[in-house]
Amino acid sequence: MAERVCVVAGVGAWPFYLATAAWVGQENRRFGDATRLGFYSGRQVQGLAPLIREVVTSVPLTAEDAATRALSADPVERRVGEALAAALHDGATAPRVSVVLLSPPDDADTASFEPVTHDSDTAWTMFQRFADLDRLRTATSTADLGSG
Amino acid sequence: MTGDGREARRTELRVWYDDHVAELRALETAFGTHLGDAIRAAHLDDARLETRTKGAESFLAKATKSDGRGGFKYADPAAQLTDFVGARVLVPLSADVAPVARLVQRLYVVEEMSDQRADSLLDVPGYQSLHFLVRFRDEDREALGVVDRPVELQVRSILQHAWASLQHDLMYKGERTPTDSVRRRLIALAGLLELADHEFMAVRLAHGDAAGMLDDAHAGGFDVAAVRAWAERLAGDEADGEPLAWAGALRTVLTALGATTADEATALLGEWATRGSELARSVRATRPWATASYVADLALRLSLGTDYLARREVTDPAAVDALARETAAVRAGTEGPA
């Protein structure tokens, strides 16, 4: 069965992933049957699809939570706390958020492919959209990805 | 539901209440003594505990509430209501809530815990309180000889309590519904009191006291303010810039590692005691959010290695692997001895 990638939109999500190997966003965000995240920004699907390693569906976005978790001895908790701290540093504001821990950009688990460009005046997605990993690997434009 | 139906239910429930009020009061007394003793033993001397057993009229009014569809809201109020016995712990400032909450979590079976502030709009001032629904542990209940019923417990600061009491009287006990203007002024007052809480905290810190004044973990004076200063010195940061939340978390780590003074904490750092600034620069190149406490914790991980986890009673191989990978990467990114 083809691996599914949930491609999330957002200008900040891509550099945030590159810096933290994580995605922080709307509380209780669902990613369907996707095992990987992709990133759509700047009229292209960026060329990395990291593996989803942990999903924390709802966590307070506060300095207290960031600090307590980031200094935890548990490696998953620590990474969640680091992602919260990075999000707060970037100016994120929400009572609670989802945190998704991803394979890092240089990790063997992260799939890489040529960025897939989107040639249209309207955004390919403004929220999230699904694609098969195999199609992302061969596509030259979003038109090759089908309806998802 | 008819008026006769309500009266019949009141009569029936009144009998039930009269039969059970003695055991409810016994539970209140036992809980008050038990928690009160624990608060004193933990030296949380500024915490004030109040308890109450729900009165007959209050119970009957709640138990005969309509469901709006011709029936009663509670099918079996004697079993469904959880507030027969209530308790409230008042602490001086909002930062003092956490030590009491930790104590409660250690002592009782916590069936529910809700931070009323976190559940509401965080960007609008208003009601703030930590609510618990707790029961005695089986062994304590048997030793005390009390019934197995939950106790509702609120933990909040004096200022939070003042606002909540005033707001409750205006919103729910008056004959008139408050106007939008009155509601707006209440919200403004909540903001004012929150600012006052912060200012009291600043005054306390300026006076050299700890943010967690009531916390009993550090009798030696290595409190949040002292831990913050220690971490800032280590990282080479300017004084008083470190968020207290981070210093508080670091203090918890240091306690687990066995350091209750600045000297003990420094001794744990080994060679990293003099390399904090270098470490901070290196870490912040990729993690610009890294606080002094984060850097200090990282230095402790580098210095202690697997002993860092052992002292924190973590033996999970995944945690050991993660620590080894992280410290190797950090060492590779810093100059000096490997």
Side-chain angles (χ1 to χ4, degrees), chain B residues 265-275 299-300 303-304:
Chain B
T266 301
L268 292 177
L269 291 170
E271 64 173 288
W272 293 96
T274 56
R275 300 180 62 194
L300 290 163
S303 172
L304 296 172

Side-chain angles (χ1 to χ4, degrees), chain B residues 200-209:
Chain B
F200 273 123
M201 187 68 62
V203 168
R204 182 191 278 181
L205 281 169
H207 190 61
D209 205 341

Side-chain angles (χ1 to χ4, degrees), chain B:
Chain B
M1 158 203 9
T2 64
D4 287 348
R6 185 188 296 274
E7 266 318 301
R9 175 173 249 228
R10 276 183 67 92
T11 304
E12 180 189 332
L13 289 171
R14 179 78 205 210
V15 171
W16 180 91
Y17 183 87
D18 290 342
D19 284 348
H20 290 82
V21 66
E23 68 186 34
L24 296 174
R25 288 188 179 136
L27 175 61
E28 178 201 344
T29 302
F31 187 82
T33 304
H34 191 259
L35 182 56
D37 287 350
I39 286 172
R40 278 187 291 280
H43 304 295
L44 304 178
D45 298 328
D46 291 320
R48 294 282 172 267
L49 172 64
E50 305 167 350
T51 60
R52 68 105 179 93
T53 297
K54 200 170 189 65
E57 280 310 313
S58 172
F59 166 61
L60 293 173
K62 194 167 183 177
T64 55
K65 266 190 181 171
S66 163
D67 65 359
R69 300 187 302 276
F72 292 110
K73 184 175 179 181
Y74 299 101
D76 183 4
Q80 287 174 282
L81 296 186
T82 57
D83 63 346
F84 284 107
V85 176
R88 180 182 295 132
V89 179
L90 295 179
V91 293
L93 298 176
S94 57
D96 303 322
V97 168
V100 176
R102 285 199 292 274
L103 182 67
V104 168
Q105 288 173 303
R106 280 207 304 268
L107 286 175
Y108 303 107
V109 177
V110 177
E111 296 193 340
E112 289 177 24
M113 184 175 105
S114 63
D115 185 343
Q116 300 294 315
R117 178 189 55 181
D119 290 346
S120 60
L121 294 170
L122 284 179
D123 54 354
V124 179
Y127 184 70
Q128 295 186 36
S129 187
L130 190 59
H131 287 201
F132 291 94
L133 191 63
V134 300
R135 285 180 194 267
F136 275 116
R137 297 187 186 285
D138 288 344
E139 59 271 26
D140 291 334
R141 193 182 67 252
E142 285 164 17
L144 293 165
V146 292
V147 291
D148 185 14
R149 280 193 175 274
V151 175
E152 283 194 4
L153 173 65
Q154 300 172 349
V155 185
R156 58 197 190 197
S157 74
I158 293 167
L159 292 176
Q160 289 165 353
H161 181 60
W163 185 87
S165 301
L166 182 67
Q167 186 258 8
H168 185 267
D169 287 351
L170 283 171
M171 297 290 281
Y172 303 112
K173 290 192 175 171
E175 292 181 357
R176 287 179 299 175
T177 304
T179 61
D180 287 349
S181 169
V182 168
R183 287 170 187 268
R184 185 182 178 83
R185 290 165 77 176
L186 274 174
I187 291 169
L189 271 172
L192 184 70
L193 292 177
E194 193 169 326
L195 285 173
D197 186 276
H198 292 169
E199 189 57 24
F200 273 123
M201 187 68 62
V203 168
R204 182 191 278 181
L205 281 169
H207 190 61
D209 205 341
M213 181 179 74
L214 290 168
D215 198 328
D216 56 334
H218 286 257
F222 199 34
D223 53 29
V224 172
V227 168
R228 175 165 78 163
W230 176 80
E232 288 170 337
R233 278 197 304 277
L234 176 72
D237 290 355
E238 286 183 13
D240 300 334
E242 178 76 354
L244 287 172
W246 283 88
L250 177 62
R251 187 174 66 156
T252 303
V253 172
L254 288 167
T255 303
L257 298 177
T260 55
T261 67
D263 287 345
E264 288 173 1
T266 301
L268 292 177
L269 291 170
E271 64 173 288
W272 293 96
T274 56
R275 300 180 62 194
S277 297
E278 176 199 354
L279 180 61
R281 278 195 305 276
S282 171
V283 169
R284 287 169 179 162
T286 55
R287 284 166 267 188
W289 48 266
T291 61
S293 298
Y294 181 87
V295 171
D297 174 70
L298 190 53
L300 290 163
R301 290 173 195 245
L302 286 160
S303 172
L304 296 172
T306 52
D307 193 33
Y308 174 92
L309 296 176
R311 287 174 184 236
R312 297 187 68 177
E313 299 178 353
V314 173
T315 55
D316 180 11
V320 175
D321 287 349
L323 180 73
R325 281 197 305 275
E326 181 177 17
T327 51
V330 173
R331 283 176 196 278
T334 53
E335 299 173 358

